Amino acid sequence: MPRIHKLVIEPMTEESFKPFGDLLDPTERPSDHRIISSVPFEADGRGTLGVIWQPYEGLTFDQLERHFTVTQTFIQLSGAPAVVAVSQSTDLDDPEAAPDPQDVRAFLIDPTKGYALKRGTWHSLNRHILAPPGATFVTMNSSPNHTQIVDYKNGQSLTYKDLSSDKNPTKIDLQGKSDILFEIGL
């Protein structure tokens, strides 16, 4: 029987989300002229743009991932409200430095703003949709995409040189991080 770690949904505000990344929102909103605000996007290698359809699949998960070479960015285009789980970056040079479950937080995504994760920020692989049928997101990423995924169910870490092409990731067993299931509470 897995140990359930319950996550409370928090509002995603500039202040609450700052340890994990940045919200994409204009810094000013003048009534008499257009402005362009800079967006904190960085990518080693080639920047990529994609569209994700995420169906409603429930509110539990057992994996977190982090990206070493990109400030991965998401913008919700349509669909039901959604939540992303995040934890601050741990030592980027230590594949055993996975976050403790109590350090994982869940944020309600503001569909009027995008968000950019800091390099190395741990996050749920999916945006967790709160009602059927699902939601659509734009994602900005990098290629190659150096990524680490921690599986809390099996207590394993997989590190990919490139998530889309590395068929032989580095695998290690993690002590004390197995048989854990995260559950997002409503």
Side-chain angles (χ1 to χ4, degrees):
M1 181 70 119
R3 293 176 284 161
I4 306 293
H5 185 77
K6 294 191 180 226
L7 302 176
V8 176
I9 299 173
E10 303 174 48
M12 183 184 276
T13 66
E14 184 89 25
E15 184 178 317
S16 67
F17 199 69
K18 194 66 173 165
F20 315 103
D22 296 290
L23 299 186
L24 308 183
D25 195 28
T27 55
E28 299 176 55
R29 296 177 190 265
S31 62
D32 60 346
H33 66 280
R34 179 179 81 127
I35 64 165
I36 298 175
S37 299
S38 294
V39 178
F41 180 73
E42 302 169 3
D44 296 350
R46 181 177 58 87
T48 65
L49 184 67
V51 177
I52 299 171
W53 164 252
Q54 179 64 57
Y56 172 78
E57 295 180 309
L59 300 176
T60 61
F61 64 97
D62 55 26
Q63 295 181 338
L64 292 175
E65 69 178 343
R66 65 176 170 176
H67 305 283
F68 298 91
T69 58
V70 66
T71 55
Q72 191 178 38
T73 301
F74 296 90
I75 302 165
Q76 186 168 355
L77 294 178
S78 65
V83 172
V84 64
V86 296
S87 184
Q88 286 184 298
S89 181
T90 55
D91 185 345
L92 296 174
D93 296 320
D94 182 359
E96 294 186 42
D100 291 324
Q102 66 267 16
D103 294 333
V104 178
R105 295 169 62 185
F107 287 96
L108 181 63
I109 296 168
D110 182 341
T112 68
K113 301 172 179 71
Y115 63 94
L117 298 167
K118 293 179 181 177
R119 289 180 192 236
T121 294
W122 292 97
H123 59 92
S124 51
L125 280 64
N126 294 333
R127 267 71 16 234
H128 296 277
I129 312 306
L130 299 182
T136 302
F137 298 85
V138 169
T139 183
M140 294 186 292
N141 222 325
S142 69
S143 179
N145 186 352
H146 185 191
T147 300
Q148 180 181 3
I149 298 175
V150 170
D151 183 331
Y152 286 87
K153 179 180 178 184
N154 299 317
Q156 295 179 336
S157 167
L158 297 173
T159 302
Y160 298 82
K161 292 176 185 157
D162 179 28
L163 187 58
S164 64
S165 67
D166 186 353
K167 304 294 183 217
N168 225 359
T170 303
K171 177 180 167 183
I172 61 168
D173 291 324
L174 300 172
Q175 299 299 323
K177 291 190 172 63
S178 63
D179 208 25
I180 297 169
L181 183 67
F182 295 94
E183 181 178 82
I184 298 168
L186 293 178

